[in-house]
Amino acid sequence: MIKNIGANWIQTFLTIAVTYVLMPFTLRSLGQEQYGTWLLITAMTSYIGLLILGVPMASVRYIAKHAASGDLEAMNKAIASCAALYLVMGAVSIVVGLGLYTWFELSYTIPVALAREARWAFTLVIIYVASGFILQLPYGIMSAHQDFVLRNKVQIGSLLLRLGLTLGLLTWRPTIVWLAVIQIACLAFEFSVSWTLCKRRYPGIALRPHAFDRDTVRQILTFSVFVLLLQVGNQLVFQTDSLVIGKFMDVGQIPFFTVASSLAIYLMEFVISIAAVVMPTATQLETQGKMAELRELYLKWSKITLSLTLVPGLFLLVLGPRFIAWWIKAPGFEKSSGDVLFILMLANFIYLPVRGVSLPILMGLGKPSRPTVAFLVTGLLNLGLSIALAGPLGLNGVAIGTAIPNALFALAVMVLACRELGVSITEYVRYVFVRAALGCVPVLALLYWLRDRVGVRGFIPLLGSGVVMVAAFAATWVLFVYRGDKYEDLAGRARRILGRARP
């Protein structure tokens, strides 16, 4: 499990590194209005992805279940059935995309100079999203076999291709049309490579049209309906903000929010890397009747996820605005984006441990109904609050409209997971949160001292502050937070390592 999560983290870290290079480069190359238009297009077309109906997560669950039982025939039925579903969904998404294009033309005011590029870019992005459904098939096979290392190698290759193409093409001709072309090129690369590797890696895997099975489709869709609700909620939570800002404020304001939310979202990607491994692991443990190990998995990794969230999260909470000022190097981003980041990070300390462990465990156990409905309600509440608060509070109001529903969702799903696994809420809170919250006090004091007394600004001071903060965090977590821990006693492990190192 550690190997797979580590592979996911490497891929996520490289994605963040590439984003940190490309976001300011793209913003400067395109200009604020053209980049804001691109963000609006990607936010709108992302809703087409809902047509995938949660099939990828459902396919991972069923393929993983058949892999654990060694039923190759049932596995190939699931693969053929998923492939057929993806092709149908891709065709339907083209039609839906045309409707979204009409909405885009009628509802949003795009600068006249950008209108032609915006139309072409929107059309190409629709093609990209529709074609992307079938890419989930080889990735689902790899995830079901817990072969995350192989999957991540393909994604890293595509990431580097996107980096090179973006730097080269936008330097030559900075237009959002090229951004759309780059997405299609990377998609073609990923599918061709990943499917070839699946054929070689898993000899028994085959895509046979005659293996299509209606009963299998029915089982997948029964589960995936709840995953669809989860994805609808996810879209409302993380993709609606740009639409609200573009509609009720101005497209030029979207980058200020996106810069801040990107930091929060990429922190979430580290957590989702854990969730991607937790879900099939929970399915296997439940299939094998190992409920005690499942409860241990839940508590242990909830605390680990919270700890990993706090490392960058505390830094961003205090020094995030100054990091943005160095990163973007554009007037106004430090204050506007910094305030948004502060609000989003406060909610993430509660939301991310639940999103990374509690939710995927419930999905892996085949208990998707309540958490997915809760996430849908979260998305609708997010939309309503963001619209209501955008006028009086501006970008901060949109951020508050996102943060409050996320925190409420986390509390609800935490209670559901504890009840399902027979873990008391008191035990969960005491084990996961209490010591960690106390351990944050000296780390926060250090960060505020560095910000207010030392006056940290610029890359080298920020890097040095990060190193000092990580050292203080590690010492606090080893000597206090995890001291005597029933699952991971870091102080005891350190003593054993030092004991073996002595001559």
Side-chain angles (χ1 to χ4, degrees):
M1 186 169 174
I2 294 291
K3 178 182 177 182
N4 288 325
I5 292 175
N8 289 346
W9 282 342
I10 291 172
Q11 189 268 337
T12 302
F13 176 79
L14 291 175
T15 301
I16 294 172
V18 169
T19 301
Y20 285 173
V21 173
L22 290 184
M23 182 174 285
F25 169 79
T26 306
L27 177 58
R28 289 193 296 269
S29 299
L30 298 177
Q32 194 164 312
E33 284 190 336
Q34 188 171 193
Y35 187 56
T37 301
W38 171 254
L39 294 175
L40 180 61
I41 291 172
T42 55
M44 289 187 69
T45 53
S46 66
Y47 279 86
I48 303 175
L50 295 176
L51 293 172
I52 207 165
L53 301 177
V55 172
M57 186 180 290
S59 68
V60 169
R61 183 176 187 274
Y62 282 101
I63 295 174
K65 186 174 182 179
H66 298 319
S69 62
D71 192 342
L72 187 60
E73 182 181 355
M75 189 187 308
N76 284 328
K77 284 183 179 180
I79 291 171
S81 301
C82 288
L85 287 171
Y86 289 142
L87 293 175
V88 171
M89 293 166 187
V92 173
S93 67
I94 296 290
V95 179
V96 174
L98 294 176
L100 284 176
Y101 177 82
T102 303
W103 180 32
F104 174 75
E105 285 282 303
L106 297 177
S107 300
Y108 290 90
T109 303
I110 305 299
V112 177
L114 300 175
R116 183 173 179 272
E117 286 79 4
R119 294 187 187 102
W120 276 105
F122 202 108
T123 302
L124 291 172
V125 172
I126 290 173
I127 295 172
Y128 161 75
V129 175
S131 304
F133 290 137
I134 195 65
L135 176 62
Q136 301 303 318
L137 183 62
Y139 282 163
I141 296 170
M142 292 177 184
S143 298
H145 287 84
Q146 298 199 35
D147 206 347
F148 294 94
V149 175
L150 182 64
R151 187 199 68 178
N152 290 330
K153 286 180 179 178
V154 178
Q155 292 179 334
I156 289 171
S158 177
L159 183 67
L160 297 177
L161 177 63
R162 181 165 69 92
L163 173 64
L165 290 176
T166 304
L167 293 176
L169 292 176
L170 290 193
T171 300
W172 171 56
R173 187 175 180 183
T175 173
I176 56 178
V177 174
W178 279 120
L179 286 180
V181 171
I182 290 167
Q183 286 190 325
I184 294 174
C186 293
L187 174 65
F189 168 83
E190 285 188 63
F191 179 76
S192 59
V193 173
S194 60
W195 183 250
T196 300
L197 290 174
C198 279
K199 294 289 289 183
R200 294 180 179 179
R201 187 89 163 189
Y202 320 112
I205 295 296
L207 180 57
R208 303 185 181 96
H210 66 270
F212 174 83
D213 183 71
R214 291 184 179 180
D215 290 335
T216 302
V217 169
R218 192 178 299 111
Q219 292 176 2
I220 291 173
L221 290 179
T222 299
F223 182 84
S224 67
V225 164
F226 295 105
V227 183
L228 171 62
L229 295 177
L230 182 67
Q231 291 176 338
V232 171
N234 189 72
Q235 289 294 116
L236 291 171
V237 170
F238 297 108
Q239 297 296 335
T240 306
D241 295 326
S242 294
L243 303 182
V244 171
I245 296 168
K247 182 66 177 177
F248 295 96
M249 298 174 66
D250 180 74
V251 292
Q253 295 294 310
I254 296 176
F256 290 105
F257 191 93
T258 301
V259 165
S261 65
S262 68
L263 295 173
I265 287 173
Y266 279 110
L267 176 56
M268 185 176 68
E269 291 297 324
F270 276 103
V271 171
I272 291 178
S273 299
I274 298 173
V277 181
V278 168
M279 179 186 160
T281 303
T283 299
Q284 291 181 353
L285 291 175
E286 192 253 352
T287 301
Q288 297 165 358
K290 299 178 179 179
M291 295 306 296
E293 293 184 24
L294 186 56
R295 283 188 285 271
E296 177 181 338
L297 172 77
Y298 176 53
L299 290 172
K300 174 181 175 180
W301 279 98
S302 293
K303 188 173 182 178
I304 291 174
T305 303
L306 173 62
S307 301
L308 293 173
T309 299
L310 289 170
V311 177
L314 294 175
F315 181 87
L316 293 174
L317 193 71
V318 180
L319 294 176
R322 298 191 180 179
F323 172 79
I324 290 173
W326 165 78
W327 176 34
I328 300 299
K329 297 179 178 62
F333 275 84
E334 178 177 356
K335 172 62 177 173
S336 298
S337 298
D339 291 345
V340 170
L341 179 62
F342 182 87
I343 295 168
L344 295 178
M345 286 310 309
L346 288 176
N348 274 350
F349 294 143
I350 303 173
Y351 173 77
L352 290 183
V354 171
R355 177 64 181 86
V357 182
S358 299
L359 180 60
I361 280 185
L362 288 171
M363 302 301 287
L365 293 177
K367 306 289 184 179
S369 57
R370 291 183 179 179
T372 52
V373 171
F375 205 24
L376 178 60
V377 173
T378 298
L380 294 173
L381 182 59
N382 178 351
L383 178 61
L385 284 176
S386 296
I387 292 174
L389 298 177
L393 299 178
L395 294 177
N396 289 349
V398 178
I400 293 171
T402 300
I404 292 176
N406 282 358
L408 294 176
F409 167 79
L411 293 175
V413 173
M414 178 197 72
V415 171
L416 290 174
C418 287
R419 288 178 178 175
E420 189 65 36
L421 296 174
V423 176
S424 72
I425 298 174
T426 302
E427 179 185 4
Y428 178 88
V429 173
R430 183 174 61 246
Y431 177 76
V432 176
F433 282 99
V434 172
R435 282 202 180 188
L438 294 174
C440 289
V441 174
V443 179
L444 281 172
L446 172 63
L447 286 170
Y448 278 110
W449 178 78
L450 289 169
R451 189 193 71 177
D452 298 333
R453 296 296 181 89
V454 178
V456 173
R457 280 191 179 277
F459 175 70
I460 298 300
L462 283 169
L463 178 62
S465 299
V467 171
V468 172
M469 175 244 155
V470 169
F473 187 96
T476 304
W477 253 242
V478 170
L479 298 176
F480 174 69
V481 176
Y482 271 94
R483 185 180 182 88
D485 188 276
K486 59 182 178 180
Y487 300 125
E488 286 291 338
D489 183 3
L490 296 183
R493 179 175 293 187
R495 286 194 298 269
R496 290 193 296 271
I497 293 174
L498 291 174
R500 289 196 298 266
R502 292 172 182 167

